[in-house]
Amino acid sequence: MIKGGLPPLGLGEAEERAYEALLLERADHVEELARLLDLPRKRVDTALDRLVEHGFARPPDPVDGGGLPHPAAPAAAIRVLIDRRQAELHRRSAELQRRSAELERLRLTAERLAAERLAADRPAALRAHGCGGTGAGGEGAGAGCAVERLAGRGAAGERTGRLLAGAEREVLLMDRAPYADLDMGGLLARGVEVRAVLDRAGLTVPGRARAVAALVRRGLRVRVAAGVPTRLLAVDRRVALLPPSDAADPRAYALVAADARLREALAALFEAVWEGAAPWDGDGDGGREEGPEQRELLRLLAAGLKDEAIARRLGVHVHTARRRISRLLESLDARTRFQAGARATARGWLDT
């Protein structure tokens, strides 16, 4: 996959390098392109076929044996791929809604089971079935307890702490503002893999994005979504906790799920939300739009113009144009011009 973060477009590094070479007319034949890219001929043929398949190039002229495909304008080709990606996301959104409905049914079942246990008011029997103690790893919902209801913010916080303290391999987190105050740093220091989907709205709080970025540098894997469906904490795929929907409400409660079916549904929900979420881009608003000069430079790059032509359009020396291009790529965290165009188009900076 592309190191700069373009796997959603369905292209790899070889395809990207071949496409840029086509745009800059660096080769006339496939063999020459293979030598230029230092790749096997078969790999280059595959990359060129994929570029044609994805609309980044038109097939070569039949009469030109060994000739190269004709590159399409980057902005138009990227827009086609983004439209395809959006259609796929709509399909996944429908699947997410289906899973959310299933989760709601399971939640209602869990609440009914918890209510029945509370109404029975048999603490000794509950302890005998593993619902009153801490259980293995401190999860508090033993193998014989499908679901446990925790009343009050203090009980939920205490159980969350025990869950995290017992984590050995993996923690999955979905959270929204106000974010839970969890010791993610301690988990990462112990080598526990942590994946988190955060609601975008909460990242606008001053200092929040900076704190998340610091954890990312330590190994936290983060994605951002608009409208996270529920708060969720899952530990080692063996127990899951649904925190209170409103921690300030004295009647709010958390649910601890050890039942296999409920755990699997919650894990599937997390994976669906994770798949549809956007990769963390280092700030809280998904990137800030550049000014008119940068957008004009992006349009010229997207049109496939060479540095000299861009300099003439901008009315500057070619060295100045190249410095501006370098700064623009750096601001987009893009390794190549192709990546810069893709990221700018995805953020709506280019009119296509």
Side-chain angles (χ1 to χ4, degrees):
M1 291 193 294
I2 294 176
K3 296 178 181 178
L6 291 177
L9 295 180
L11 296 176
E13 185 175 2
E15 286 79 12
E16 179 188 356
R17 293 175 60 201
Y19 180 61
E20 288 204 52
L22 293 178
L23 285 174
L24 299 176
E25 301 177 356
R26 291 176 175 170
D28 295 321
H29 299 280
V30 179
E31 289 291 351
E32 184 182 357
L33 180 61
R35 289 194 299 271
L36 175 68
L37 301 180
D38 193 23
L39 292 173
R41 166 66 185 266
K42 185 177 180 180
R43 182 68 186 91
V44 173
D45 285 335
T46 301
L48 294 176
D49 289 343
R50 284 175 58 80
L51 289 175
V52 172
E53 176 188 353
H54 286 281
F56 275 81
R58 291 181 290 104
D61 298 328
V63 297
D64 188 9
L68 295 170
H70 305 284
I78 291 170
R79 173 51 58 189
V80 171
L81 285 185
I82 289 176
D83 289 342
R84 292 178 184 173
R85 178 61 172 168
Q86 287 175 337
E88 174 65 15
L89 289 176
H90 285 312
R91 185 190 66 78
R92 291 180 178 177
S93 177
E95 174 66 13
L96 176 59
Q97 291 177 0
R98 186 188 69 78
R99 292 186 182 277
S100 296
E102 180 181 357
L103 170 63
E104 183 61 23
R105 290 193 297 271
L106 290 170
R107 181 192 286 273
L108 292 174
T109 300
E111 291 179 353
R112 178 179 58 79
L113 289 171
E116 289 174 356
R117 292 182 186 278
L118 288 174
D121 194 24
R122 292 189 299 230
L126 288 177
R127 284 193 295 272
H129 285 83
C131 295
T134 60
E139 64 265 25
C145 182
V147 64
E148 181 181 5
R149 176 170 172 161
L150 300 175
R153 182 170 54 184
E158 180 183 357
R159 184 62 56 83
T160 298
R162 293 211 302 268
L163 282 172
L164 295 180
E168 297 176 353
R169 299 179 304 277
E170 177 190 59
V171 169
L172 307 178
L173 173 69
M174 288 197 302
D175 206 2
R176 56 195 182 197
Y179 292 130
D181 184 16
L182 304 178
D183 183 17
M184 294 292 103
L187 290 171
L188 297 170
R190 300 200 326 257
V192 177
E193 179 184 4
V194 183
R195 284 192 290 157
V197 180
L198 303 180
D199 193 277
R200 186 178 300 276
L203 294 172
T204 60
V205 176
R208 175 63 63 179
R210 190 180 307 111
V212 173
L215 290 172
V216 168
R217 289 191 293 271
R218 297 178 61 181
L220 177 67
R221 298 173 61 192
V222 178
R223 292 190 177 183
V224 180
V228 171
T230 186
R231 291 186 174 93
L232 170 66
L233 177 69
V235 175
D236 293 336
R237 306 276 173 155
R238 58 181 165 77
V239 64
L241 183 143
L242 293 168
S245 55
D246 182 3
D249 186 351
R251 298 169 299 178
Y253 57 89
L255 293 175
V256 181
D259 176 74
R261 182 168 175 245
L262 183 55
R263 288 199 325 266
E264 290 171 3
L266 292 171
L269 175 65
F270 175 88
E271 296 297 347
V273 176
W274 174 269
E275 186 66 23
W280 168 256
D281 58 11
D283 57 34
D285 56 10
R288 298 175 175 82
E289 186 171 349
E290 298 294 325
E293 291 183 0
Q294 287 79 7
R295 290 198 297 274
E296 175 63 19
L297 181 55
L298 280 166
R299 281 191 286 268
L300 296 175
L301 289 172
L305 297 183
K306 297 182 179 181
D307 294 351
E308 293 77 6
I310 291 175
R312 287 195 297 271
R313 293 287 189 92
L314 297 178
V316 298
H317 192 276
V318 65
H319 295 310
T320 301
R322 286 170 179 162
R323 283 196 298 271
R324 292 184 183 180
I325 292 170
S326 296
R327 287 197 299 269
L328 180 61
L329 265 62
E330 182 179 354
S331 69
L332 287 165
D333 193 24
R335 187 170 52 85
T336 67
R337 300 178 186 194
F338 172 71
Q339 291 176 11
R343 292 186 174 184
T345 302
R347 293 181 181 183
W349 294 2
L350 290 170
D351 298 324
T352 58

